[in-house]
């Protein structure tokens, strides 16, 4: 069972309402579930998993232009994000801090000065973020950007974009895109005409980059069966985090061999599938401990009951694993959540 706070989601990027405050907002996050909640405010339904050990400290910022949104994710821990982009969505994503050793897009390492996410018909997202990194992503309607290319007489670019999802940029292009996106995050615009103008400027910059790039700088894109299997395992793990399964049973459910499942997880996460599923269950415990709403919904109020709900039968082993993973005891997580509830 996946535990998730209720919210309205959409199949594409979310336009802001008419209040000034909605044009930009930001929030700190101290758990993977808090980052998932921030993405949900944009209509993006993602499972987020912390892959490295220690207390998570991150920051999420978003600014809305006219039919284009820009957001950034800063994190001190390695994170995995797995979810749906939507049916009418195109993204322009880059790592802005130069820290990208553990960045992966569908399990593939990224190159320095590279742009990602622009395949118009790609509906799923699966990527990892490096500890200490800042990722910046602009997202808009694939139909709108395609219409812009058609208006500019560059419809042939769509054929290229449909076969690729990563592009090696010239350093100057990388710097220009990074500076422009970060400028908007730091200087939100409330005037609708200005926001529309700046959306056009970003489209024009992307067009300049795409038209000045040789074909061999585009990386061909195809999700291999093993990469898709890893995505399916993550989704399955979040949706079945309360059920005790053995590796053979999971392999049968996912129509895979044990060996392929182990290889896929080891290649991508340096962890076996059972260890990865254990981390998902720990993440779910952390989510429930932080959420008074979820504890009430599940009727679980004691730490031991919550741990048992997600398959941790040994209290001592659970507590040690939790503290090692999150950098604090489950008791402290729960106490901080109750304290925050009293403040609010």
């Amino acid at each position: 069972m996946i535990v998730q706070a209720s919210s309205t989601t959409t199949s594409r990027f979310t336009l802001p309402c008419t209040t000034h405050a909605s044009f930009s907002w930001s929030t700190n996050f101290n758990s993977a579930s808090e980052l998932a909640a921030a993405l949900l405010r944009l209509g993006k339904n993602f499972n987020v998993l912390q892959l490295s050990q220690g207390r998570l400290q991150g920051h999420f910022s978003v600014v809305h232009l006219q039919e284009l949104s820009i957001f950034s994710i800063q994190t001190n821990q390695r994170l995995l994000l797995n979810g749906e982009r939507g049916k009418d969505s195109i993204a322009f994503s880059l790592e802005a801090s130069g820290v990208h050793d553990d960045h992966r897009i569908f399990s593939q390492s990224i190159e320095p000065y590279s742009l990602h996410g622009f395949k118009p018909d790609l509906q799923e997202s699966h990527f990892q973020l490096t500890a200490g990194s800042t990722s910046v992503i602009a997202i808009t309607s694939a139909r709108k950007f395609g219409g812009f290319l058609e208006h500019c007489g560059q419809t042939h670019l769509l054929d290229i974009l449909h076969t690729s999802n990563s592009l090696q940029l010239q350093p100057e292009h990388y710097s220009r895109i990074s500076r422009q996106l970060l400028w908007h995050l730091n200087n939100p615009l409330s005037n609708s005409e200005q926001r529309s103008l700046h959306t056009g400027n970003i489209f024009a910059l992307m067009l300049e980059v795409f038209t000045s790039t040789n074909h061999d700088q585009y990386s061909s894109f195809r999700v291999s069966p093993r990469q898709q299997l890893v995505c399916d395992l993550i989704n399955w793990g979040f949706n079945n985090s309360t059920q005790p399964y053995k590796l053979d049973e999971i392999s049968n459910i996912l129509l895979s061999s044990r060996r392929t499942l182990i290889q896929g997880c080891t290649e991508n996460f340096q962890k076996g599938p059972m260890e990865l599923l254990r981390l998902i269950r720990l993440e779910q415990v952390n989510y429930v401990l932080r959420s008074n709403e979820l504890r009430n919904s599940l009727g679980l109020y004691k730490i031991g009951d919550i741990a048992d709900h997600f398959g941790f039968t040994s209290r001592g082993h659970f507590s040690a694993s939790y503290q090692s993973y999150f950098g604090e005891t489950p008791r402290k997580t729960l106490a901080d959540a109750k304290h925050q509830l009293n403040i609010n």
Side-chain angles (χ1 to χ4, degrees):
M1 173 185 122
I2 185 169
V3 288
Q4 182 173 307
S6 60
S7 179
T8 300
T9 62
T10 64
S11 63
R12 52 174 287 178
F13 65 97
T14 300
L15 294 177
C17 51
T18 56
T19 61
H20 174 76
S22 69
F23 294 132
S24 68
W25 53 271
S26 64
T27 182
N28 294 325
F29 60 88
N30 299 110
S31 70
S33 59
E34 290 176 359
L35 174 57
L39 289 165
L40 200 57
R41 288 182 61 181
L42 297 181
K44 300 301 176 185
N45 193 355
F46 275 79
N47 293 319
V48 183
L49 179 64
Q50 180 179 329
L51 293 173
S52 56
Q53 294 183 338
R55 293 190 179 184
L56 175 57
Q57 295 177 316
H59 189 75
F60 183 89
S61 300
V62 63
V63 62
H64 297 288
L65 299 181
Q66 191 70 27
E67 297 192 82
L68 181 142
S69 297
I70 304 168
F71 62 90
S72 69
I73 303 174
Q74 296 172 274
T75 174
N76 72 329
Q77 297 293 345
R78 185 180 170 198
L79 300 177
L80 168 68
L81 292 88
N82 194 77
E84 296 183 0
R85 291 200 334 179
K87 296 181 179 179
D88 178 31
S89 181
I90 188 170
F92 310 108
S93 171
L94 51 78
E95 200 293 312
S97 65
V99 181
H100 56 78
D101 292 351
D102 292 319
H103 264 58
R104 303 283 188 276
I105 308 293
F106 279 96
S107 307
Q108 298 296 312
S109 301
I110 72 168
E111 298 293 331
Y113 308 117
S114 53
L115 185 72
H116 311 275
F118 47 77
K119 193 174 190 299
D121 57 345
L122 186 63
Q123 296 186 28
E124 292 182 310
S125 286
H126 178 88
F127 58 97
Q128 295 180 48
L129 304 180
T130 309
S133 66
T134 299
S135 298
V136 184
I137 302 170
I139 187 166
T140 187
S141 161
R143 288 196 299 267
K144 182 175 179 64
F145 188 70
F148 170 79
L149 294 180
E150 182 178 359
H151 177 76
C152 296
Q154 300 289 340
T155 52
H156 68 282
L157 285 174
L158 288 174
D159 294 332
I160 299 174
L161 300 185
H162 272 88
T163 60
S164 176
N165 196 47
S166 296
L167 169 63
Q168 187 73 45
L169 299 172
Q170 297 296 326
E172 59 270 23
H173 283 148
Y174 167 86
S175 296
R176 285 179 61 192
I177 295 172
S178 179
R179 284 198 308 267
Q180 186 162 145
L181 297 184
L182 288 171
W183 184 90
H184 283 96
L185 285 166
N186 294 320
N187 301 275
L189 303 169
S190 60
N191 181 278
S192 61
E193 291 184 2
Q194 287 183 324
R195 290 189 294 118
S196 179
L197 175 64
H198 282 263
T199 293
N201 290 341
I202 291 174
F203 278 17
L205 176 57
M206 295 305 169
L207 175 59
E208 178 186 340
V209 169
F210 290 143
T211 55
S212 63
T213 300
N214 295 328
H215 285 190
D216 59 3
Q217 292 174 278
Y218 290 90
S219 300
S220 60
F221 179 81
R222 185 181 69 87
V223 180
S224 71
R226 189 179 295 175
Q227 291 165 351
Q228 186 60 54
L229 177 63
V230 170
C231 296
D232 293 342
L233 175 67
I234 298 297
N235 286 330
W236 184 90
F238 272 95
N239 283 307
N240 297 274
S241 54
T242 64
Q243 303 298 321
Y245 286 95
K246 296 181 180 179
L247 181 56
D248 285 334
E249 294 174 314
I250 298 169
S251 299
N252 289 334
I253 291 170
L254 297 179
L255 304 178
S256 168
S257 68
R258 285 171 53 104
R259 180 181 178 184
T260 301
L261 199 56
I262 292 171
Q263 286 179 334
C265 291
T266 304
E267 288 172 356
N268 293 297
F269 309 111
Q270 297 76 54
K271 296 175 174 62
M274 300 308 289
E275 171 66 9
L276 193 65
L277 293 175
R278 186 182 70 88
L279 294 184
I280 290 175
R281 291 188 291 119
L282 281 173
E283 197 74 71
Q284 296 286 64
V285 172
N286 179 267
Y287 189 10
V288 174
L289 289 175
R290 289 174 174 274
S291 172
N292 182 66
E293 179 184 353
L294 282 174
R295 291 195 303 277
N296 288 334
S297 173
L298 295 171
L300 301 172
Y301 305 99
K302 296 181 180 180
I303 293 172
D305 293 340
I306 296 170
D308 185 68
H309 180 74
F310 289 103
F312 295 99
T313 55
S314 170
R315 302 294 170 83
H317 183 263
F318 158 73
S319 183
S321 297
Y322 186 99
Q323 184 167 0
S324 175
Y325 186 39
F326 294 111
E328 65 182 29
T329 65
R331 186 179 299 275
K332 185 177 189 311
T333 302
L334 181 59
D336 288 348
K338 289 182 176 179
H339 176 70
Q340 189 62 41
L341 181 65
N342 292 332
I343 292 176
N344 294 338

